[in-house]
Amino acid sequence: MGKKTDGKVLAQNKKASHDYFIEDTYEAGMVLTGTEIKSLRLGKANIGDAFATIRNGEVFVHNMHISPFEQGNRFNPGDPTRARKLLLHKEQISKLIGLTKQEGYTLVPLKIYVRNGYAKLLIGLGRGKKNYDKRESAAKRDAQREIQRALREKQKY
């Protein structure tokens, strides 16, 4: 029996790499209801303004919007942005507690995907960028684009 691996990205936080320096990433499982996973598989999730916190040795993600499933039943959750528990190893959680205590570090959800039939959330340990950092990374990106354009023009001739 082969393992079933989809790896399909269901939602992505594109703003995260613009607003944060992502230092480390962790893969976490999510505690979801049956209708939430159905809605996730349809791609009805948004993690644009989501964030993660650690309370009592457990990690929770807040403001992650999963739309209610249309064909749902009475177990459909009432609040689409409720706090959802993340499943991580105890060693990972204790390491994250130590790292997030430092000034300027936060847990940022990066993307939701399916692996082996289970929904996973990739969270990153991020340090906030200042405005001048954002301008600098935009300038680097533009310079790289110019280099690629020049190389393509040179190959044409």
Side-chain angles (χ1 to χ4, degrees), residues 22-42:
I22 305 299
E23 312 236 333
D24 203 1
T25 59
Y26 297 90
E27 181 183 73
M30 292 185 285
V31 178
L32 300 171
T33 64
T35 55
E36 280 180 330
I37 186 66
K38 289 180 179 187
S39 194
L40 256 183
R41 287 179 188 275
L42 291 175

Side-chain angles (χ1 to χ4, degrees), residues 2-8 27 41 113-120:
K3 275 196 165 185
K4 110 182 140 167
T5 55
D6 321 21
K8 180 182 167 197
E27 181 183 73
R41 287 179 188 275
Y113 54 94
V114 175
R115 174 175 287 165
N116 297 337
Y118 294 103
K120 302 288 184 182

Side-chain angles (χ1 to χ4, degrees), residues 87-134:
L87 306 172
L88 287 161
H89 293 286
K90 194 166 273 198
E91 301 86 42
Q92 290 176 324
I93 293 174
S94 59
K95 184 178 178 184
L96 285 175
I97 289 172
L99 291 171
T100 54
K101 291 266 190 246
Q102 296 176 20
E103 190 64 33
Y105 283 95
T106 184
L107 294 176
V108 185
L110 301 174
K111 65 180 173 180
I112 301 173
Y113 54 94
V114 175
R115 174 175 287 165
N116 297 337
Y118 294 103
K120 302 288 184 182
L121 177 68
L122 188 71
I123 57 173
L125 181 70
R127 190 167 39 90
K129 283 186 182 179
K130 304 281 189 247
N131 279 338
Y132 58 84
D133 291 330
K134 293 178 188 177

